Amino acid sequence: MKVTLLTQDEVRLELACEPAQTVLDAAEAAGIYPLAMCRDGQCGQCGAHAVAGTYSMRPHNLAALPPGIESILLCSCLPQSDLTISLPYDDAQLPRHSVPSRRAVIEALHPAGTSAVSLILRLQADTTLGQAADFLPGQYMEISLPGTSIRRAYSLANLPNWDGTLEFLIRLVPGGAFSGWLAQVAKRGDILSVRGPLGQFTVDETSPRARCLVGGGCGFAPLLSMLRQMAAFQDTTPVHLIYGVNRSEDALPEELFTELREALPQLQTALAVWHGTPGVNAVHGTAAEVLAAHLALAGELPDIYVCGPPKMVEAVLAVAHRAGVPDAQIFFERL
Amino acid sequence: MFCFQCEQTARQGGQAGCASAKGVCGKDEVTADLQDLLIYQLKGIGELSERLHLHGTSDQEADSFILYGLFTTLTNVNFNRAVFTRLIADAARLRDRLRVTLETVGDALQELSAAAYFVPAADLAGLLAQANIASIQAGVELVGEDVIGLRALILYGLKGVAAYAHHAEVLGQKRQDVYKGVAHALAFLAHDPADIPTLLEEALALGRLNLIVMEALDAANTGAFGMPTPTRVRTTPVQGKAILVSGHDLRDLHNILEATKGIGINVYTHGEMLPAHGYPELHAYPHLVGNYGTAWQNQQQEFADFPGPIVMTSNCLIEPRAAYRNRIFTAGPVGWPGLRHIQNDDYSQVLQAAQAIPGFVETAPEKTITVGFAREAVLGAAEAVIEAVKSGAIKHFFLIGGCDGAAPGRNYYTDFADHAPADTVLLTLGCGKYRFNSHEFGSIGPLPRLLDIGQCNDTYSAIQIASALAEAFGCGVNDLPLTLVVSWFEQKAAAVLLTLLALGLRNVRLGPSLPAFLTPALLNVLVEKFGVQPITSADADIAAALSRAA
């Protein structure tokens, strides 16, 4: 069968697909690497839409399918005829190389607020990739727990760089396999396996609109990377950051925000504290509620970037939709 | 957005031109509209600047700004709307200053165009609302498509002139006659000219100005880096850390070679930077090890595969893929949102990237091509060339010049080079040559059949060669056994075409497709009055050229 992948910018990529071969496998056999993580119909990373042709789907998680009719997962889709598939990104975002797996050393590990840690890794030099930490702000890495099959995905908080530094903000989940290991066992010098960069939660640099970044808990990490990138590039786009936490003691250190405001003079920030006393420079409420107030006053509807726990993301999406923000202006990542 | 300035122009439907949310080149409508507004402002600045020159004085910042501003709007140069909002603000400030300066020299500021008074809105939404007045098609319902097409020919030619002049300027060639000529052309356009004979006259005047500019650029390049000489260039990788330099700007390449001296990083040229190897002062750097890749339209794959940082010094930039987005740097007029831009000649991040990325892990078997047949090299062999023509060993010269591109139909140039008879010489200019410059063409006596004169920027050298040969044979250039095969893609080709027309050079074959802004009536003028011929097929055009010569 012939499979045609159609990108958002209308580039057509044709590939041959064997019987019982998934579209994802066929694409990779052809040297094209659509985004995919679990490869088992569960994570939704390889979501797309069938445009023409017939297909069947291997068993998969229905909740992982993207919205809309004829939605598919490339890792589970078995063409039954010639098939045309629409991918949710442009050709330039479609990797032509496999996602690198590398080794990294723990360089620093210290508390960030009361319920998170800051983990800094340094990539070991690789014969083909060298020392560079090459990713786009907003992307994440998969980190494997040494000696186990446990993998976790964490967003990068720093900027792409040439010395191999990877910075993460990781929430300490009581009883969590990886965060528990981080809290109790991990030490400087330990070696981890990392795979990435992964993810499409990146800034639309070409948009003319203002940006509103909404983060909950450690969902702040990719937004921090985006803001640092804007500062580094002297990007003057108006930007508003709404950062939600459960309690004021969960908030990241104020110096982080002060630094960002100094580097990005146009940055407006709002700390939303859901429970208890909000404290100075904070408001009571959820990030979604603060966003609703912000959108009510905004002249032109901004692009919205949201990352956080699933319920918080759902609440923010609902607020954005109610305010009339088009889907094309909403970018989100669930933790 | 409406744009039809390059070959890539969308051609489906009745009206040729990019008029959707994104042009074929990747330029989005916001950026396109902001570019239109900047051009509109530059017309006003040009008008004021010309007056200042006529008063015997000038504003160097404004003169340089005009060149730079026009250059940023060339195809595949700058896609960054933030750059254009900043340039629009700068343009308003410069315009105000020019008006004050003119008043101080006693100019009453009478009969200025609306462009000279234009006040840009303070925010993006306001600017976009203003963009209609600046569209290349503004007024088409009043003046018709022929006038719009001629205005476009002049404006686009002027963009090419500005690009050449900027390259010359950064190497120290700051010529008042050039600044004044560019300002004049903008002032002419500022008043929405509609008289076709006057427009044609100005187009030819611009062609003459471009000859001066190309002479200045030639002087700048050869003055700084020596006269090109035939030089073998390696086209396969050498083991080690690597930086790739693309675009046309020899000064940037020189700066990078200086910054990487003695630190174990090899430098490769890409695309139109290939002829740099022929300049003795650049060739002298041992770490300028070779040329990598082909013409600009293949960069997404070639840059992804290149194991080091890439510096884009001028056109042609196309949308960077994620695979190399963090390791491609822009310089000078070039820009793309989210790419690092080199400022104040600070290459430190490029060097860091080069050190961090492995480079080529092994040395590939050596392959080479030869470049550097600029005017002195060819004319140095003039006696042998003249003798070969007289003896019949050389029957004809084909100058194949201009850009490459992705459009179907460009295999015409490959076919042309491959099918040209063995007793003909192929002279090349620009990146169109990548389609065939690795082919084996043999020699005629001591002379290789394929002689690369240089970049598209080196057209002056080609004109000098043609003029010298004509003098040697005691005939006019049009009487030489010479055919010019021009592959147009963007605005620099428009400038060169106007120069060829202004010089009265006939026998120009133009392709692969004709500019969308040339209406049938304008094309007819080019054909009837100037002898321009659209290409047909390679074999037929070769046969026609040889039968004319015979």
Side-chain angles (χ1 to χ4, degrees):
Chain A
M1 271 90 62
K2 185 177 80 179
V3 172
T4 304
L5 300 178
L6 189 61
T7 63
Q8 289 296 294
D9 52 346
E10 298 185 342
V11 173
R12 300 173 74 88
L13 302 158
E14 293 189 347
L15 40 107
C17 191
E18 302 294 324
Q21 189 179 29
T22 67
V23 173
L24 182 61
D25 288 339
E28 291 184 351
I32 299 166
Y33 295 85
L35 292 154
M37 195 166 106
C38 75
R39 310 178 68 87
D40 194 28
Q42 300 304 313
C43 71
Q45 177 78 1
C46 62
H49 291 86
V51 177
T54 56
Y55 59 92
S56 65
M57 291 285 286
R58 286 180 177 171
H60 60 281
N61 177 4
L62 289 175
L65 288 167
I69 56 166
E70 299 294 343
S71 59
I72 58 163
L73 300 168
L74 301 180
C75 69
S76 308
C77 179
L78 301 164
Q80 304 297 317
S81 71
D82 286 357
L83 184 61
T84 302
I85 292 169
S86 168
L87 300 176
Y89 36 78
D90 285 352
D91 180 54
Q93 274 90 49
L94 187 58
R96 299 297 204 277
H97 300 274
S98 58
V99 176
S101 290
R102 301 174 65 175
R103 289 158 72 81
V105 183
I106 296 181
E107 188 156 288
L109 182 62
H110 49 76
T114 55
S115 58
V117 292
S118 164
L119 172 67
I120 295 175
L121 305 180
R122 188 176 298 276
L123 291 167
Q124 294 189 330
D126 179 286
T127 49
T128 54
L129 299 164
Q131 188 65 62
D134 195 358
F135 60 90
L136 299 176
Q139 289 192 299
Y140 64 88
M141 304 285 287
E142 244 177 41
I143 308 181
S144 299
L145 193 58
T148 73
S149 60
I150 295 169
R151 291 178 301 173
R152 292 289 183 270
Y154 296 109
S155 294
L156 290 144
N158 62 328
L159 292 182
N161 59 79
W162 309 115
D163 60 8
T165 305
L166 305 174
E167 181 185 340
F168 304 92
L169 283 175
I170 298 176
R171 190 163 77 91
L172 295 172
V173 182
F178 192 85
S179 64
W181 178 81
L182 272 184
Q184 291 155 24
V185 183
K187 60 183 185 306
R188 196 165 182 272
D190 284 351
I191 294 176
L192 299 170
S193 295
V194 294
R195 179 172 171 270
L198 296 156
Q200 285 299 299
F201 182 59
T202 56
V203 177
D204 177 5
E205 306 270 7
T206 61
S207 164
R209 290 173 289 272
R211 295 170 189 147
C212 182
L213 278 51
V214 188
C218 290
F220 179 61
L223 308 183
L224 179 58
S225 181
M226 291 173 180
L227 290 168
R228 284 172 164 170
Q229 178 94 336
M230 286 181 69
F233 283 42
Q234 298 174 15
D235 185 338
T236 56
T237 307
V239 56
H240 195 95
L241 170 69
I242 298 169
Y243 170 49
V245 293
N246 283 331
R247 296 178 180 282
S248 58
E249 57 268 30
D250 296 335
L252 292 165
E254 172 60 20
E255 301 83 70
L256 200 58
F257 299 92
T258 309
E259 270 175 37
L260 282 172
R261 281 191 294 264
E262 281 172 3
L264 267 179
Q266 80 275 31
L267 174 65
Q268 303 284 319
T269 60
L271 173 62
V273 178
W274 193 9
H275 300 300
T277 315
V280 281
N281 299 328
V283 293
H284 179 74
T286 65
E289 288 164 354
V290 174
L291 174 67
H294 174 66
L295 292 180
L297 295 173
E300 189 187 18
L301 291 171
D303 290 342
I304 294 179
Y305 295 84
V306 53
C307 181
K311 282 185 179 169
M312 175 258 185
V313 172
E314 296 310 323
V316 166
L317 294 183
V319 163
H321 285 140
R322 272 203 300 278
V325 183
D327 281 339
Q329 283 178 235
I330 303 174
F331 306 83
F332 61 92
E333 183 101 287
R334 295 185 184 90
L335 289 179
Chain B
M1 160 178 192
F2 180 83
C3 183
F4 58 0
Q5 68 172 353
C6 75
E7 188 213 5
Q8 296 179 114
T9 295
R11 291 171 194 267
Q12 70 273 28
Q15 168 77 59
C18 293
S20 60
K22 199 175 185 182
V24 177
C25 68
K27 180 171 65 177
D28 64 55
E29 61 182 337
V30 171
T31 308
D33 287 352
L34 294 177
Q35 288 189 358
D36 285 349
L37 276 178
L38 176 63
I39 294 290
Y40 186 70
Q41 289 178 294
L42 291 175
K43 290 177 189 170
I45 293 179
E47 189 177 17
L48 297 169
S49 176
E50 187 194 23
R51 288 198 184 193
L52 212 49
H53 280 280
L54 291 171
H55 282 288
T57 181
S58 64
D59 182 321
Q60 179 63 50
E61 186 186 357
D63 286 337
S64 297
F65 182 84
I66 288 172
L67 301 184
Y68 180 83
L70 286 167
F71 196 172
T72 60
T73 69
L74 252 72
T75 301
N76 291 341
V77 173
N78 204 311
F79 300 80
N80 194 341
R81 67 183 162 83
V83 167
F84 290 101
T85 48
R86 196 181 70 234
L87 290 176
I88 286 169
D90 289 348
R93 182 179 56 76
L94 278 173
R95 188 272 317 273
D96 292 346
R97 189 171 83 194
L98 286 174
R99 281 169 50 178
V100 170
T101 312
L102 275 169
E103 281 173 338
T104 60
V105 297
D107 194 296
L109 299 177
Q110 287 180 332
E111 296 178 17
L112 289 173
S113 68
Y117 291 104
F118 174 70
V119 179
D123 61 13
L124 184 62
L127 288 171
L128 297 178
Q130 291 176 320
N132 272 347
I133 56 162
S135 167
I136 188 72
Q137 284 203 307
V140 65
E141 66 285 355
L142 295 174
V143 298
E145 290 187 352
D146 294 341
V147 167
I148 295 293
L150 269 177
R151 288 180 191 167
L153 178 62
I154 294 173
L155 174 62
Y156 300 156
L158 184 59
K159 289 185 180 193
V161 171
Y164 292 141
H166 175 81
H167 282 304
E169 187 186 46
V170 297
L171 285 170
Q173 287 279 329
K174 298 181 176 181
R175 292 179 53 160
Q176 295 303 313
D177 53 348
V178 170
Y179 294 133
K180 187 177 168 187
V182 170
H184 167 76
L186 286 165
F188 173 71
L189 292 172
H191 286 274
D192 296 334
D195 178 56
I196 286 187
T198 310
L199 280 156
L200 279 170
E201 203 175 291
E202 286 290 338
L204 295 180
L206 186 64
R208 289 189 290 275
L209 175 68
N210 189 48
L211 185 63
I212 295 169
V213 170
M214 289 194 298
E215 182 191 5
L217 178 57
D218 183 274
N221 287 338
T222 56
F225 307 118
M227 192 60 73
T229 55
T231 305
R232 283 173 66 213
V233 181
R234 187 185 178 103
T235 57
T236 50
V238 175
Q239 188 270 330
K241 306 278 187 189
I243 294 175
L244 187 61
V245 186
S246 188
H248 302 76
D249 200 304
L250 299 182
R251 178 181 169 275
D252 283 328
L253 175 64
H254 179 252
N255 285 346
I256 291 165
L257 288 167
E258 272 294 305
T260 48
K261 210 160 58 174
I263 58 173
I265 296 174
N266 292 327
V267 176
Y268 294 78
T269 58
H270 175 265
E272 273 285 73
M273 203 57 91
L274 167 64
H277 294 270
Y279 289 88
E281 299 290 321
L282 297 173
H283 182 64
Y285 289 92
H287 60 297
L288 178 62
V289 295
N291 176 254
Y292 174 88
T294 55
W296 65 273
Q297 73 278 4
N298 303 320
Q299 68 186 250
Q300 286 182 321
Q301 198 59 51
E302 290 172 358
F303 289 179
D305 293 340
F306 186 80
I310 302 134
V311 180
M312 189 57 89
T313 68
S314 70
N315 46 329
C316 286
L317 174 67
I318 51 182
E319 181 172 1
R321 288 187 184 279
Y324 57 88
R325 208 178 165 93
N326 282 323
R327 56 184 169 86
I328 181 166
F329 297 78
T330 58
V334 191
W336 188 283
L339 295 193
R340 291 182 178 82
H341 189 76
I342 293 164
Q343 286 176 317
N344 305 320
D345 296 336
D346 178 2
Y347 300 93
S348 55
Q349 291 207 62
V350 182
L351 267 53
Q352 278 177 28
Q355 298 286 13
I357 304 168
F360 289 103
V361 292
E362 57 185 31
T363 299
E366 184 173 13
K367 289 183 188 167
T368 61
I369 53 175
T370 303
V371 301
F373 292 96
R375 65 176 192 278
E376 209 157 271
V378 174
L379 296 179
E383 272 186 33
V385 171
I386 292 163
E387 199 46 50
V389 173
K390 284 182 176 165
S391 73
I394 294 177
K395 287 278 190 335
H396 204 81
F397 296 90
F398 292 110
L399 173 63
I400 306 178
C403 312
D404 203 1
R410 283 188 170 270
N411 58 347
Y412 169 89
Y413 299 97
T414 318
D415 292 345
F416 200 107
D418 287 346
H419 296 182
D423 54 5
T424 61
V425 170
L426 306 169
L427 303 161
T428 56
L429 278 172
C431 65
K433 60 179 166 261
Y434 276 105
R435 288 189 173 252
F436 52 83
N437 71 345
S438 59
H439 297 190
E440 186 51 58
F441 291 101
S443 304
I444 297 176
L447 200 66
R449 276 193 61 225
L450 178 77
L451 303 175
D452 182 45
I453 299 173
Q455 298 180 338
C456 64
N457 296 13
D458 295 312
T459 305
Y460 177 76
S461 207
I463 291 169
Q464 291 299 103
I465 291 170
S467 303
L469 288 178
E471 194 175 320
F473 286 112
C475 66
V477 172
N478 288 325
D479 303 319
L480 286 172
L482 168 69
T483 301
L484 308 174
V485 188
V486 176
S487 131
W488 104 280
F489 174 72
E490 41 81 303
Q491 300 78 43
K492 288 196 277 190
V496 170
L497 179 66
L498 290 178
T499 300
L500 299 180
L501 301 185
L503 289 172
L505 267 72
R506 303 178 76 86
N507 312 321
V508 176
R509 286 276 178 188
L510 186 61
S513 56
L514 296 170
F517 50 85
L518 287 184
T519 60
L522 295 177
L523 182 61
N524 200 39
V525 171
L526 293 187
V527 172
E528 295 292 319
K529 194 170 174 189
F530 298 100
V532 173
Q533 297 168 291
I535 63 168
T536 61
S537 74
D539 290 335
D541 292 351
I542 291 168
L546 295 177
S547 73
R548 178 183 64 79

